[in-house]
Amino acid sequence: MWLTSKIKQILMVMKPGVVTLDYPNERPPVPENLRGQPVFDHQKCIGCGGCSDHCPARCILVRDVCQELRVMLYDGGRCTYCGRCADICPEKAITMSNSFEIACDQKEDITTRMELFMMTCQRCGRCYEMEKTNAIDRINLKGFRYDNLEQRALIRKTSETFDPALLKESDNYQRPSDK
Amino acid sequence: MSKRKELEAKLIARLRDDVVCVEKTDPRTIFIDVKRAGIREASKIITTAGARYLCSVGYDNIERDGTLGMIHTFALDDSDQFVCCRTSAPVGDPVIESITPDLPSAGWSEREVTDLLGLRFAGHPKPKKLVLADDWPDGIYPLRKDVPHNFVPKGAEDVAYELDEAPPGTKIVPVGPFHPSLHEPEHFAVYVDGETIKGCDYRGFMTHRGIEKLCTTQISYNEVPFIAERICGICGSVHATAFSQAVESAAGLIIPRRAEFIRTMMLEFERIHSNLLWLGVAGHLIGFDTVFMQAWRVREQIMWLCERLTGNRKTYGMILVGGVRRDITPEIADDIRRVMKNIEDDLTIIHRAIEKDTSIHKRTKGVGTITKQQALDWSLVGPVARARGVDIDARRDHPYAAYDEMKFEVPVLDSCDVWATLVIRVVETFEAIKIVRQCLDKMPGGEFFVEMKDKIPAQRHAITVVEAPRGESVHYVITGEDNRPERWRVRAPTFPNLQAVPLMLLDEQFGDFPIIMGSIDPCFSCTDRVAVVDLQTGQSSSITKAELDALSRRAQSPSHSLQTMLRG
Ligand code: SF4
Ligand code: SF4
């Protein structure tokens, strides 16, 4: 039995031959709907912050530096390429491109930063008509937000009107520790 | 009499006032609330009624009524029901009687709850740390609501886990935390007498990532499936599906049938790739790298298929609460059929080439044996249990997604060794291919995602099981405010299986350690929780950290025998 098994094994190995691709010299086509690096379109973005609310990796940060200026920062270093942000965006401002060879030694190379001029709703601070009707997808953080872009930390605190004190506080954000 | 009535009658007859209530709302899940004095008795009654222990869930209820809650969950496999036995203890006196003396596999669950919530268990045979790091400060219980998710305690120097005492006459061989035969950091101390393994102690949970905490504090319902998927690199969809089903069941959300079919297909793709992966790894562990190369070559096709289908080789991101994200188009359906055919052909060739190979037989037959009774006692799951004659499969016993319409065999063998596990996993791959084909043939049209209009009410409990390639995964969800679960407990299949490894290792050769370990297809990241086995309590010299360090250094140089090291 041992010998017949070995013969069968030799045939099993011979038939397919070498299957390893000579990457990167040989590059097979990238599948059409690959979820690669997300690309942000600042023309379309309305700054609703929905993508940031729903990013499982919490790597899209929003910081309102004053009443009119909202800075959004996408930190590709932590992105999991799940495509959730692209699903959520009401304006289709995010597309999952098919570029995947994005290893780099500068964090900034895979960071996207957008500065958006914002208007404020007179009635409720900053409100958006949420296109999402699904109760389990509803966007939860509304109004003004104060993530710490330096430390790339999402701070789950918002206010209805712009609050310089909160902005200041988030400048010194530190992870809680027992000493 | 229905199981529920029968259980209720028995419980009330024995425990009287200790039974608070038996819920009647959910036909599939029987929630029983008992006072804490009756918990051990209640769990005994439930297991004698034929229920199989799944896991235990602790939760923080301090804000609501000043208690810590504890739920022991069981499955009634022949009537497709779950039993959740709930109790609680005031936070000022957080002690509950342990059920581990009756159900050894509850050992880890209880230790985990002690670590994470500070609920203690009277009579637990081994109340050691399980999940938390050795230098984690006392009195801080990370799963309690008052501890922030990103809390970083100060580390301490020179605290080490106290390994169990070695049985008399044995020496210790440390395997890990990093070791070529383990793919993830875990530490085993294997007690050997010559070449024969006499026991082992395990310290793991080094890859504990606090996922449950993160998902109950930071993100909302529909982001959890993406994180759930990352619990395990192999059975991602399993966890995402299990979580989604639990939330859907708590919310009373009915998802479209088409979505259920697509989920079933994703789960079976995962089974195919996982079984092929495991087959390769098993070959590699016994030094048969041809199998490794060929199994992985065949597996690659399914990885590419999934890339075309879902946008990624792994972590498919297909499952959402309410359905799935991408549809199966007719073109991709043809693609799937073609790939299934190729895999079936290739796997048949591999199967024929290895099934009679005497060298594989020698390395796997009669290795890692434990009896059916032991497998039942330790609540083993998946192929590991089926290789020991335990006929369980969540797909058949507790059908979810579209499995109620699928026809498939559940292979069960009783040679109780690693070989049986191997055969079962190969057979299951063929079965999985059959299921995928049935899905394609029977798939109904229509929507594949459904919107949920109302908020999910808080404080609903739900449990689901999903059969992962390595065994059954259990998810327990308590819904919360703020659009996110309040408590989510994941029990991966390795959790019970790993607890029985010391038993499998007993009296085996040390050289077989990797394949026995590998035979349960351990996934430490998803388990990350560990325990040691109590073999016998014997007197012997315990070894200090310094000695162990020295020992592990010596262990690598063959000129020093271990014996000289430990003498005295
Ligand atoms: S792809 Fe996923 S992880 Fe990356 S930014 Fe979008 S939502 Fe976040
Ligand atoms: S969801 Fe879209 S529109 Fe809203 S902030 Fe993100 S990119 Fe801009």
Side-chain angles (χ1 to χ4, degrees), chain A residues 40 45-51 72 89-91 93-94:
Chain A
F40 291 74
C45 175
I46 55 165
C48 69
C51 50
M72 303 211 19
C89 179
E91 298 298 312
I94 307 176

Side-chain angles (χ1 to χ4, degrees), chain A residues 1-10, chain B residues 353 356-358:
Chain A
M1 278 336 245
W2 182 83
L3 194 63
T4 39
S5 289
K6 290 298 156 204
I7 294 170
K8 282 184 192 163
Q9 283 159 20
I10 292 172
Chain B
K356 301 232 168 66
D357 190 308
T358 36

Side-chain angles (χ1 to χ4, degrees), chain B residues 210-274:
Chain B
I211 286 183
E212 291 171 3
K213 179 80 184 180
L214 185 72
C215 293
T216 48
T217 52
Q218 288 296 297
I219 56 179
S220 54
Y221 279 118
N222 245 344
E223 282 68 69
V224 181
F226 295 94
I227 296 193
E229 204 164 47
R230 284 166 174 83
I231 289 177
C232 178
I234 310 292
C235 36
S237 287
V238 167
H239 291 293
T241 308
F243 171 80
S244 305
Q245 286 178 358
V247 174
E248 284 151 13
S249 134
L253 184 67
I254 309 279
I255 69 162
R257 194 67 184 148
R258 189 175 176 86
E260 294 192 323
F261 268 80
I262 299 177
R263 281 185 185 177
T264 309
M265 239 159 72
M266 295 319 299
L267 294 172
E268 291 309 315
F269 286 153
E270 222 158 55
R271 194 174 323 276
I272 296 170
H273 103 76
S274 173

Side-chain angles (χ1 to χ4, degrees), chain A residues 46-55 62 70 84-85 87-91 126-143 145 156 158, chain B residues 219-223 452 455 482-484:
Chain A
I46 55 165
C48 69
C51 50
S52 156
D53 278 357
H54 286 285
C55 170
V62 180
R70 171 165 272 193
R84 182 82 179 130
C85 48
D87 279 6
I88 282 288
C89 179
E91 298 298 312
R126 213 164 263 186
C127 78
Y128 302 94
E129 186 30 34
M130 295 307 146
E131 304 214 341
K132 284 268 160 197
T133 48
N134 193 334
I136 42 184
D137 273 350
R138 217 159 279 143
I139 293 164
N140 45 7
L141 292 177
K142 293 172 186 161
R145 313 180 38 171
R156 293 212 170 252
T158 53
Chain B
I219 56 179
S220 54
Y221 279 118
N222 245 344
E223 282 68 69
M452 167 96 186
K455 239 182 104 196
D482 301 335
N483 210 21
R484 65 173 71 102

Side-chain angles (χ1 to χ4, degrees), chain B residues 67-352:
Chain B
T67 62
L68 293 169
M70 185 72 188
I71 310 162
H72 296 303
T73 61
F74 305 84
L76 290 160
D77 289 327
D78 27 3
S79 60
D80 180 21
Q81 277 179 315
F82 301 103
V83 185
C84 302
C85 187
R86 294 186 290 215
T87 190
S88 62
V91 65
D93 173 28
V95 184
I96 291 183
E97 201 178 351
S98 168
I99 61 162
T100 310
D102 310 323
L103 293 163
S105 54
W108 281 14
S109 278
E110 290 190 338
R111 286 166 65 184
E112 188 185 309
V113 172
T114 309
D115 276 9
L116 300 178
L117 284 155
L119 185 60
R120 290 193 305 278
F121 295 89
H124 193 292
K126 187 171 181 169
K128 279 186 171 183
K129 254 189 188 171
L130 180 67
V131 179
L132 293 181
D134 294 310
D135 61 351
W136 186 270
D138 286 336
I140 296 175
Y141 303 109
L143 262 190
R144 289 204 185 165
K145 298 282 172 204
D146 55 352
V147 180
H149 83 284
N150 51 357
F151 173 74
V152 191
K154 247 181 53 186
E157 296 286 321
D158 272 343
V159 259
Y161 181 76
E162 293 274 332
L163 287 166
D164 276 6
E165 291 188 346
T170 62
K171 308 292 172 233
I172 301 176
V173 182
V175 179
F178 296 100
H179 190 274
S181 75
L182 305 171
H183 308 294
E184 290 171 72
E186 295 300 294
H187 181 85
F188 290 86
V190 185
Y191 307 127
V192 293
D193 179 5
E195 276 287 305
T196 313
I197 300 175
K198 287 294 176 196
C200 100
D201 191 0
Y202 169 63
R203 173 64 176 153
F205 288 80
M206 292 161 192
T207 41
H208 187 75
R209 290 158 292 172
I211 286 183
E212 291 171 3
K213 179 80 184 180
L214 185 72
C215 293
T216 48
T217 52
Q218 288 296 297
I219 56 179
S220 54
Y221 279 118
N222 245 344
E223 282 68 69
V224 181
F226 295 94
I227 296 193
E229 204 164 47
R230 284 166 174 83
I231 289 177
C232 178
I234 310 292
C235 36
S237 287
V238 167
H239 291 293
T241 308
F243 171 80
S244 305
Q245 286 178 358
V247 174
E248 284 151 13
S249 134
L253 184 67
I254 309 279
I255 69 162
R257 194 67 184 148
R258 189 175 176 86
E260 294 192 323
F261 268 80
I262 299 177
R263 281 185 185 177
T264 309
M265 239 159 72
M266 295 319 299
L267 294 172
E268 291 309 315
F269 286 153
E270 222 158 55
R271 194 174 323 276
I272 296 170
H273 103 76
S274 173
N275 285 351
L276 287 168
L277 177 139
W278 181 81
L279 182 65
V281 171
H284 173 69
L285 289 176
I286 57 172
F288 196 172
D289 275 343
T290 313
V291 176
F292 168 66
M293 296 289 180
Q294 297 306 316
W296 282 46
R297 169 180 64 79
V298 177
R299 171 178 176 265
E300 197 58 23
Q301 305 176 48
I302 196 132
M303 309 306 282
W304 286 346
L305 172 70
C306 288
E307 193 178 25
R308 293 192 289 270
L309 172 62
T310 69
N312 215 334
R313 288 166 63 89
K314 264 314 300 171
T315 46
Y316 307 134
M318 277 289 266
I319 319 278
L320 282 181
V321 179
V324 294
R325 272 169 97 199
R326 288 187 183 182
D327 199 6
I328 305 276
T329 58
E331 298 82 65
I332 198 90
D334 291 341
D335 197 3
I336 294 171
R337 282 210 173 82
R338 190 179 51 78
V339 173
M340 288 301 125
K341 174 92 184 67
N342 289 347
I343 291 181
E344 194 174 27
D345 295 348
D346 286 350
L347 186 60
T348 314
I349 296 176
I350 300 185
H351 182 65
R352 293 226 178 95

